[in-house]
Amino acid sequence: MTIAIGERIPDGSLNLFKDGIQTISSLDVLGQGKVVLFAVPGAFTPTCSNKHLPGFIQHMEDFRERGVKVACMSVNDAFVMHAWGEAQGVPPDLLMLADGNATFAKALGLELDGTKNGMGIRAKRFALYAEDGVVKAIHIEAPGEFRVSSAEAMLKAIDE
């Protein structure tokens, strides 16, 4: 079942590369304050690298002004997420979260079966906004699309 507005972020583990690989609780990083979590099907993939992540990088100051933390998640390992962040010039306060086995994507009900394309289980492209761990907005893309989960769409949802 897909997480919905009004529901709490589930407890789970994610990885982050910071002085080595760290395992962090989803509630520690997403369950406090104002947070946008956006997910991409894969680091270094075309839409993710050319549009989705760059939009959030470009608008980080807009999120900071609103007191909103931003985290990017993908079903990749922490080394890949770190390398992708470096290649994209991600600022230190945009967290690059690895969900290597798709366990958190599954806990959200937002996994994508890409096995027919040789990609295994991934996260759907989505963005959600939560306050103190409660989902206030969630935008899930249709397969192959990039419209509703952009940084601009999330800023609009936050301001509503």
Side-chain angles (χ1 to χ4, degrees):
M1 188 122 166
T2 303
I3 194 165
I5 292 172
E7 293 182 346
R8 297 196 68 75
I9 298 288
D11 189 13
S13 295
L14 296 159
N15 293 101
L16 176 68
F17 187 92
K18 186 176 181 180
D19 300 323
I21 295 178
Q22 297 181 9
T23 300
I24 56 174
S25 162
S26 59
L27 297 180
D28 286 345
V29 71
L30 305 171
Q32 302 166 22
K34 299 176 181 180
V35 181
V36 166
L37 170 67
F38 71 100
V40 298
F44 292 104
T45 58
T47 301
C48 306
S49 291
N50 297 330
K51 295 179 182 177
H52 209 173
L53 180 58
F56 279 91
I57 294 169
Q58 177 185 351
H59 288 284
M60 277 303 292
E61 188 56 36
D62 297 318
F63 289 104
R64 288 182 197 114
E65 288 172 358
R66 290 165 175 79
V68 177
K69 296 185 296 188
V70 178
C72 173
M73 181 187 85
S74 185
V75 179
N76 290 109
D77 64 61
F79 294 111
V80 169
M81 292 301 287
H82 178 69
W84 188 40
E86 284 190 334
Q88 292 284 322
V90 168
D93 58 339
L94 196 164
L95 300 177
M96 300 297 285
L97 303 176
D99 183 23
N101 294 319
T103 52
F104 192 67
K106 289 175 185 175
L108 293 170
L110 291 167
E111 72 274 12
L112 167 72
D113 186 352
T115 54
K116 70 178 182 179
N117 297 316
M119 294 178 70
I121 303 300
R122 300 291 179 118
K124 291 181 180 179
R125 184 181 308 282
F126 72 86
L128 67 78
Y129 171 63
E131 292 180 2
D132 294 324
V134 177
V135 177
K136 300 294 184 181
I138 185 161
H139 299 175
I140 305 165
E141 297 287 359
E145 289 192 4
F146 175 65
R147 294 180 308 115
V148 299
S149 65
S150 68
E152 295 85 359
M154 292 313 296
L155 287 165
K156 183 177 177 186
I158 291 166
D159 290 344
E160 291 179 344

